[in-house]
Amino acid sequence: MSSRALLFSPNFPKSPPDNFSIRGKTVPARSLFNVRLKTPHGSRVFRVSVGHNSGESRRRGSGKVYADVREVRKSVKFEDSLNDVVLSEEELDNSVPWWEEFPKRWVIVILCFSAFLLCNMDRVNMSIAILPMSAEFNWNPATVGLIQSSFFWGYLLTQIAGGIWADTIGGKAVLGFGVIWWSVATALTPIAAKLGLPFLLFVRAFMGIGEGVAMPAMNNILSKWVPVSERSRSLALVYSGMYLGSVTGLAFSPFLIHQFGWPSVFYSFGSLGTVWFTLWLNKAYSSPLDDPQLRPQEKKLLLANKISKDPVKTIPWKLILSKPPVWALITSHFCHNWGTFILLTWMPTYYNQVLKFNLTESGLFCVLPWLTMAFSANFGGWIADTLVSKGYSVTTVRKIMQSIGFLGPAFFLTQLSHVNSPAMAVLCMACSQGTDAFSQSGLYSNHQDIAPRYSGVLLGLSNTAGVLAGVFGTAATGYILQHGSWDDVFEVSVGLYLVGTVIWNLFSTGEKILD
């Protein structure tokens, strides 16, 4: 094997340099030397000839210096002399530009973050657009609740299926499929609404099918790409994409509606999925074992994570469902999501009806709780990983973080009935959502703790319970508001938060219970 590389081509001066520096050694610009590259699999020797190009180039005064590199197959006596250079694979690896040194696992994390940003942008736009839509189509609160909950019909269908697909065929294909699917459904929403209520319900459920596979697929990918010491931070960053997606959707939706009408929200947000999908295809791999360009140092770190080379062929359902920590995870996910999804879908309506904010104000004030969640999720992730690195057990850390994620929202929701000013109500909402985000370092990190090989399936199971909470909670809120008050809505959420706290602290664990 041989090749030629251009080392020097100045515009001025015309004469080339007299020497080069290689690993601290000065090598003449016209020289012949050997380079030994040490790798974990042995050594390879290359003979490098450095000098000017042909005599014709010298006569023209080009000043170019070339290196001709040829691999030496036979044994070469190596001495530590001026013209002998020994490089390790790590030293060669460190010569790449800084942007190529950026850890590939964090490229995967950032792409997952971006997918979840789009996920919630496409989800929350309905919570703003529903106000002008209900006025245009004359929908009552019960119908609005039905439309809001229809998303969860499809979302519910693909939770477990998405986990099975991700664990068996790989998370890359499943997450890519999901983003394209829900982006198309988002763009079709205005057309469906104008055709009639049944068409709108179908498209919203259709959108839920695509978003339903996102969390299991992401969990599967990160279980392979992220070591335990970085788990809380990486998951917190990805889930904060959901919160910032809510911020983006709630901030831009009123502007788009005011300038171009409510259909523009769905068309513009839906089109962004194609941009993300192009990057995903080029950059992402389901596992570090599949990435041919992964740098050796990072590959060594990730292989210490004991990634299984064999794909999952069968799911041990009986074994999974026989473990109390699995049921603690499922039950706690239901209790947590009841309150979270109610605030996600009904918060703009609460601001509009109770606090008397207009459409634009409702969207802007809804941004504050989600910004608080984005910050506190990453702050909580940093705390959790720091505690684990200091020797605290994963079980203790998960229980502490999830207890904050339950009791914090419960406390601040109880204060809503005692505040008199809109500013204090918004502050209570922000604090409730901010403490809720500590759950990303609690139950949302626990799937990879207790069953890393089946983390996609396990998230599908627990998130199915969480989606059921969204379906029943969102629809029940519309019913409660027709026959009761917002205080009744919040009391139900507080009760479930307290139940979840007890179950989580009694039965959860951070230890691996399934291989």
Side-chain angles (χ1 to χ4, degrees):
M1 183 184 73
S2 62
S3 62
R4 165 168 285 197
L6 177 65
L7 296 183
F8 185 80
S9 178
N11 292 320
F12 184 83
K14 293 296 183 181
S15 59
D18 294 327
N19 52 59
F20 292 93
S21 177
I22 300 178
R23 200 178 175 231
K25 294 184 178 181
T26 302
V27 178
R30 302 173 183 84
S31 63
L32 179 69
F33 61 95
N34 299 316
V35 174
R36 174 177 287 163
L37 175 61
K38 292 182 176 180
T39 74
H41 308 291
S43 296
R44 299 175 69 181
V45 176
F46 298 88
R47 181 153 293 173
V48 182
S49 175
V50 179
H52 293 289
N53 197 14
S54 64
E56 178 67 22
S57 295
R58 289 199 300 272
R59 283 193 297 272
R60 292 178 181 176
S62 69
K64 293 182 179 180
V65 177
Y66 287 86
D68 290 297
V69 182
R70 180 172 58 87
E71 185 172 4
V72 181
R73 300 292 184 180
K74 62 183 181 180
S75 176
V76 175
K77 185 178 180 181
F78 237 74
E79 299 178 356
D80 190 22
S81 61
L82 178 65
N83 287 0
D84 289 337
V85 180
V86 180
L87 297 175
S88 68
E89 192 173 24
E90 287 78 11
E91 289 175 303
L92 187 65
D93 207 36
N94 286 335
S95 65
V96 299
W98 68 266
W99 59 86
E100 293 183 16
E101 291 183 345
F102 188 74
K104 186 59 180 289
R105 64 189 182 277
W106 285 98
V107 172
I108 300 296
V109 169
I110 291 170
L111 285 170
C112 289
F113 163 87
S114 304
F116 277 60
L117 182 81
L118 294 177
C119 177
N120 263 33
M121 283 178 62
D122 291 343
R123 189 187 303 183
V124 303
N125 55 14
M126 178 60 82
S127 64
I128 295 291
I130 198 73
L131 297 173
M133 290 172 74
S134 60
E136 179 177 334
F137 298 110
N138 198 27
W139 294 329
N140 59 36
T143 302
V144 170
L146 183 66
I147 294 169
Q148 296 276 44
S149 67
S150 62
F151 164 86
F152 297 107
W153 305 346
Y155 195 66
L156 178 64
L157 290 177
T158 51
Q159 291 297 313
I160 297 175
I164 295 173
W165 295 336
D167 287 345
T168 53
I169 69 174
K172 175 180 178 177
V174 177
L175 184 55
F177 158 82
V179 173
I180 286 295
W181 186 283
W182 85 58
S183 297
V184 170
T186 299
L188 291 175
T189 299
I191 300 171
K194 292 177 181 180
L195 289 175
L197 183 60
F199 293 96
L200 178 59
L201 297 177
F202 174 79
V203 168
R204 291 296 291 176
F206 187 82
M207 176 183 170
I209 288 173
E211 293 205 5
V213 304
M215 287 179 65
M218 176 276 300
N219 218 41
N220 171 275
I221 293 172
L222 295 194
S223 69
K224 296 177 174 62
W225 275 98
V226 178
V228 176
S229 60
E230 299 174 0
R231 180 168 295 161
S232 295
R233 280 174 288 172
S234 63
L235 283 171
L237 178 61
V238 171
Y239 283 116
S240 69
M242 298 179 68
Y243 308 144
L244 292 175
S246 296
V247 170
T248 306
L250 293 170
F252 282 95
S253 292
F255 170 78
L256 291 172
I257 291 171
H258 180 72
Q259 293 292 325
F260 308 106
W262 62 263
S264 64
V265 175
F266 300 100
Y267 295 140
S268 57
F269 287 8
S271 64
L272 295 175
T274 56
V275 178
W276 178 91
F277 186 67
T278 302
L279 292 172
W280 183 249
L281 285 181
N282 292 329
K283 299 294 183 182
Y285 292 89
S286 293
S287 166
L289 298 172
D290 301 330
D291 191 343
Q293 298 179 332
L294 187 63
R295 296 172 66 236
Q297 289 172 301
E298 187 171 14
K299 190 170 186 176
K300 183 178 179 181
L301 171 67
L302 297 177
L303 289 180
N305 207 23
K306 297 180 180 178
I307 302 166
S308 175
K309 295 182 179 180
D310 300 322
V312 174
K313 295 180 180 178
T314 58
I315 308 298
W317 293 109
K318 186 175 180 180
L319 181 62
I320 290 173
L321 297 175
S322 68
K323 303 292 185 179
V326 171
W327 285 104
L329 190 56
I330 292 171
T331 306
S332 298
H333 209 144
F334 179 92
C335 295
H336 172 266
N337 275 29
W338 183 284
T340 300
F341 278 125
I342 286 175
L343 293 180
L344 176 69
T345 53
W346 283 96
M347 194 188 304
T349 304
Y350 173 79
Y351 285 166
N352 180 257
Q353 293 182 354
V354 177
L355 305 183
K356 306 303 180 184
F357 295 152
N358 59 35
L359 176 65
T360 301
E361 290 173 330
S362 294
L364 291 176
F365 280 108
C366 282
V367 165
L368 182 59
W370 297 111
L371 278 175
T372 307
M373 291 182 84
F375 169 78
S376 60
N378 288 284
F379 180 62
W382 176 81
I383 291 175
D385 282 345
T386 300
L387 290 175
V388 170
S389 67
K390 288 185 177 296
Y392 288 87
S393 72
V394 177
T395 299
T396 300
V397 172
R398 298 290 178 246
K399 288 185 176 183
I400 290 173
M401 304 307 285
Q402 189 54 47
S403 295
I404 297 173
F406 276 141
L407 297 178
F411 171 77
F412 288 108
L413 287 181
T414 59
Q415 304 306 302
L416 279 173
S417 60
H418 304 298
V419 299
N420 298 317
S421 69
M424 288 302 297
V426 171
L427 180 62
C428 282
M429 285 284 197
C431 292
S432 174
Q433 294 292 81
T435 50
D436 175 282
F438 277 71
S439 299
Q440 310 310 332
S441 302
L443 72 88
Y444 282 96
S445 297
N446 196 230
H447 310 82
Q448 296 179 30
D449 295 330
I450 65 177
R453 195 157 185 245
Y454 305 102
S455 57
V457 169
L458 192 56
L459 183 67
L461 275 173
S462 73
N463 207 36
T464 296
V467 174
L468 286 172
V471 172
F472 297 139
T474 304
T477 298
Y479 178 83
I480 292 172
L481 291 176
Q482 276 196 313
H483 301 87
S485 67
W486 279 99
D487 287 344
D488 300 324
V489 172
F490 296 138
E491 285 174 5
V492 174
S493 296
V494 169
L496 288 172
Y497 280 139
L498 296 177
V499 170
T501 305
V502 173
I503 293 174
W504 181 257
N505 282 283
L506 286 177
F507 300 107
S508 69
T509 182
E511 304 301 319
K512 185 162 70 171
I513 61 173
L514 292 168
D515 289 325

